[in-house]
Amino acid sequence: MKDDNVVVVIEGKEWKRSDLEMLIRAMRDTSIPQQFYGDKRGFLQVFARMVSLANEAEKQGLDKVDPHKWRLMYNRDLYLAQIYLAAKQNTIQVLPDEQKAYYEAHRADYSKAKVKVIYLAFNDTPMASADPKAKKPKTSAEAQKLANQVIQLARGGTDFGQLVQKYSDDADSKAKNGEFPVIQPGDNSLPTQIKSAVFALKPGQVSDAVRQTGGFWIFRLEEFVTSSFDEVRDDIYLTIQKERFQQWMDGKQKSLDVQFKDDKYLDYKSPIE
């Protein structure tokens, strides 16, 4: 559809196809595109009502009275600041040599640990079961004692996979003979205690029990694998770009011309009527 025809006239303003498409693209991070393409006529009816009401508000000067003028001012400045920051970050370029140098200096950050795991669940406050044959959950003390025994067996040479099948309470990893998703140093989805325990190991070593809510984790490190430069090139670009952007932001904050004059008001914690 190459013709740029007028699609609708709202309050005397002509809206061409290109105008509407640009408007909808500008709102792509909202539900507006779905509403528009789902029912264009219905959307334009609602849009026309909004435009008409906004025009009436301006005619009555509502955009220039309290509290509306302050909210409009704040929202306008906030939006302009956000789009300026996005544009500024996109201007920060990172050269290929800089990416390579960063990779060489931070190789450890791109290592991945392949591990196997045994999970021993516990519950110190279990609910009473109506089934007399139901398996009673371990207490934390019982799980800790069992964990120490399992670790001793694993470090003594017992096949870790066999220990997984005999003792682990984690169905997903147990079905894979203890295999666990690879662990990376910068993975914020995992607790620090787990990452610290894993990256302190050498291949073949078994960790101490790592206590988390509801259970103990025992890890065996299979191997460390370092991602190649090509695998992480894009991540490095974004990392350096973000670091430089933050440096620019810190400098911008320090250079702001802000002069506090009324300490009494600034230190008062409640609104002043």
Side-chain angles (χ1 to χ4, degrees), residues 125-184:
T125 56
M127 295 180 64
S129 174
D131 183 1
K133 297 181 180 180
K135 184 178 179 181
K136 183 180 178 182
K138 294 182 286 290
T139 65
S140 58
E142 291 169 341
Q144 176 72 79
K145 182 178 179 180
L146 179 58
N148 293 338
Q149 294 171 352
V150 171
I151 291 168
Q152 187 175 10
L153 290 170
R155 290 174 176 172
T158 302
D159 182 77
F160 198 82
Q162 292 179 4
L163 296 174
V164 169
Q165 297 304 321
K166 185 173 182 179
Y167 295 108
S168 185
D169 295 317
D170 180 55
D172 289 341
S173 59
K174 189 172 185 177
K176 301 174 184 176
N177 207 34
E179 288 186 11
F180 193 79
V182 293
I183 298 176
Q184 295 178 278

Side-chain angles (χ1 to χ4, degrees), residues 26-249:
M27 306 299 291
R28 60 183 175 272
D29 57 344
T30 71
S31 63
I32 295 300
Q34 183 178 1
Q35 296 174 32
F36 177 74
Y37 291 114
D39 180 5
K40 292 178 181 177
R41 287 183 177 82
F43 174 85
L44 290 172
Q45 288 283 1
V46 175
F47 180 64
R49 182 179 64 198
M50 181 186 74
V51 170
S52 177
L53 294 173
N55 289 341
E56 289 298 325
E58 286 187 335
K59 288 177 183 178
Q60 294 182 28
L62 296 179
D63 57 325
K64 296 179 174 60
V65 299
D66 296 340
H68 315 303
K69 68 176 183 180
W70 301 109
R71 293 197 65 170
L72 288 169
M73 178 204 73
Y74 184 89
N75 289 335
R76 178 182 181 277
D77 288 350
L78 175 62
Y79 184 73
L80 287 173
Q82 289 172 337
I83 61 176
Y84 176 74
L85 290 177
K88 179 65 180 180
Q89 184 164 351
N90 288 333
T91 65
I92 299 174
Q93 302 297 314
V94 182
L95 299 176
D97 288 348
E98 294 173 324
Q99 292 172 264
K100 186 67 174 178
Y102 187 94
Y103 174 77
E104 295 298 339
H106 298 83
R107 273 180 173 271
D109 294 340
Y110 300 103
S111 64
K112 297 179 286 189
K114 290 187 176 182
V115 299
K116 287 190 175 182
V117 67
I118 295 172
Y119 178 67
L120 303 176
F122 64 76
N123 189 342
D124 288 323
T125 56
M127 295 180 64
S129 174
D131 183 1
K133 297 181 180 180
K135 184 178 179 181
K136 183 180 178 182
K138 294 182 286 290
T139 65
S140 58
E142 291 169 341
Q144 176 72 79
K145 182 178 179 180
L146 179 58
N148 293 338
Q149 294 171 352
V150 171
I151 291 168
Q152 187 175 10
L153 290 170
R155 290 174 176 172
T158 302
D159 182 77
F160 198 82
Q162 292 179 4
L163 296 174
V164 169
Q165 297 304 321
K166 185 173 182 179
Y167 295 108
S168 185
D169 295 317
D170 180 55
D172 289 341
S173 59
K174 189 172 185 177
K176 301 174 184 176
N177 207 34
E179 288 186 11
F180 193 79
V182 293
I183 298 176
Q184 295 178 278
D187 186 353
N188 294 324
S189 67
L190 288 175
T192 301
Q193 300 95 317
I194 286 180
K195 290 186 289 185
S196 297
V198 168
F199 284 95
L201 299 174
K202 294 179 180 178
Q205 289 185 332
V206 176
S207 73
D208 292 334
V210 181
R211 179 170 179 155
Q212 295 291 295
T213 302
F216 290 95
W217 295 87
I218 303 168
F219 294 93
R220 182 184 190 276
L221 177 62
E222 300 298 301
E223 62 176 331
F224 282 125
V225 178
T226 301
S227 299
S228 69
F229 173 68
D230 288 337
E231 288 178 305
V232 297
R233 181 197 304 267
D234 292 342
D235 290 340
I236 291 174
Y237 187 99
L238 293 175
T239 297
I240 298 175
Q241 188 184 60
K242 288 178 181 178
E243 288 179 355
R244 291 179 178 174
F245 176 73
Q246 189 59 52
Q247 291 170 0
W248 174 84
M249 279 287 289

